[in-house]
């Protein structure tokens, strides 16, 4: 009687462990799919792939410009902010180009190097842009990215999805997939050993 209870409990534990392993594998595959349709396309479309050193030539704050937060925005969503323009010299090619914060900055407003968040108030935006401009004037040389193919004649300060970020995004689903497979293998080994013991 006690032996039957132990066998039943063992089978229940193996079933639960197997379900856990299969669930982990399924979740990791969903995460792979999600990363594949969201992050990977942005990473592959970015042409600013080569890192070099940028030397600041000038950093000026122009008059306020109006910029919609996204395409097709209504009039009330258009907000004014001081336009910071940073021009740098690429040490790799010696070109004089305009610097943008990220790939998105160029799409939002190609006239300005920095586009603030719409949720910030005007005083915060002005103080932030002045701080950024003073930092550029203070730190004259810094790493940046440019397009080696020459499609884009400008540079960006940082990539939205760098190689390290992409690898980090794939790390968690990989660990989950490995853990799920390991659980499944251990359950199968346990079942095989139990069957072999019962047969003997």
């Amino acid at each position: 009687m006690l032996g039957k209870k132990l066998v039943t409990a063992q089978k229940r534990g193996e079933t639960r462990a197997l379900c856990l392993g299969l669930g982990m594998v399924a979740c990791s595959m969903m995460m792979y799919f999600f990363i594949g349709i969201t992050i990977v396309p942005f990473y592959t479309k970015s042409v600013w792939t080569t890192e070099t050193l940028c030397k600041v030539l000038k950093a000026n704050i122009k008059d306020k410009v109006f910029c919609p937060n996204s395409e097709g925005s209504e009039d009330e969503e258009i907000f004014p902010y001081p336009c910071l323009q940073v021009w740098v010299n690429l040490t790799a090619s010696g070109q004089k180009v305009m610097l943008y914060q990220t790939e998105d900055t160029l799409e939002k407003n190609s006239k300005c190097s920095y586009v603030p968040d719409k949720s910030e108030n005007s005083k915060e935006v002005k103080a932030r842009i002045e701080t950024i401009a003073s930092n550029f004037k203070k730190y004259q040389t810094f790493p940046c990215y440019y397009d080696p193919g020459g499609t884009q004649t400008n540079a960006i300060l940082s990539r939205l999805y760098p190689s390290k970020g992409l690898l980090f995004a794939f790390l968690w689903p990989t660990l989950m997939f490995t853990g799920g497979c390991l659980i499944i293998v251990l359950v199968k080994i346990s079942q095989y050993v139990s069957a072999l013991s019962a047969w003997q």
Side-chain angles (χ1 to χ4, degrees), residues 100-164:
Y100 296 94
Q101 184 184 12
T102 61
E103 297 96 329
D104 274 357
T105 309
L106 180 63
E107 293 181 5
K108 289 178 180 178
N109 189 355
S110 60
K111 295 179 180 179
C112 304
S113 298
Y114 173 77
V115 176
D117 188 8
K118 188 172 72 75
S119 61
E120 296 178 292
N121 61 53
S122 58
K123 289 183 179 179
E124 288 179 351
V125 168
K126 184 179 179 181
R128 184 185 295 272
I129 290 176
E130 287 176 353
T131 302
I132 293 171
S134 64
N135 285 335
F136 276 120
K137 292 174 182 177
K138 183 179 179 181
Y139 303 102
Q140 291 287 310
T141 307
F142 49 85
C144 61
Y145 296 89
Y146 75 102
D147 176 18
T151 307
Q152 292 287 343
T153 55
N154 44 55
I156 60 172
L157 183 61
S158 59
R159 298 182 67 183
L160 283 174
Y161 301 104
S163 302
K164 290 182 180 178

Side-chain angles (χ1 to χ4, degrees), residues 38-93:
T38 55
I39 298 177
V40 173
F42 285 106
Y43 176 80
T44 54
K45 286 179 183 178
S46 179
V47 295
W48 296 270
T49 55
T50 305
E51 186 175 349
T52 185
L53 287 176
C54 282
K55 186 176 181 181
V56 177
L57 297 175
K58 58 181 178 178
N60 299 328
I61 299 176
K62 302 290 185 181
D63 294 333
K64 285 188 176 181
V65 295
F66 291 84
C67 179
N69 206 30
S70 59
E71 291 184 6
S73 299
E74 297 179 0
D75 291 339
E76 60 265 19
E77 293 185 344
I78 297 177
F79 63 103
Y81 59 90
C83 182
L84 172 65
Q85 292 183 345
V86 181
W87 291 88
V88 297
N89 183 32
L90 296 176
T91 54
S93 60

Side-chain angles (χ1 to χ4, degrees), residues 140-200:
Q140 291 287 310
T141 307
F142 49 85
C144 61
Y145 296 89
Y146 75 102
D147 176 18
T151 307
Q152 292 287 343
T153 55
N154 44 55
I156 60 172
L157 183 61
S158 59
R159 298 182 67 183
L160 283 174
Y161 301 104
S163 302
K164 290 182 180 178
L166 191 66
L167 290 174
F168 185 76
F170 277 108
L171 175 64
W172 296 111
T174 302
L175 290 175
M176 185 178 288
F177 179 80
T178 306
C181 290
L182 187 61
I183 290 172
I184 293 171
V185 169
L186 289 175
V187 169
K188 291 299 181 182
I189 291 173
S190 176
Q191 289 176 344
Y192 173 75
V193 171
S194 297
L196 189 63
S197 300
W199 180 79
Q200 289 179 349

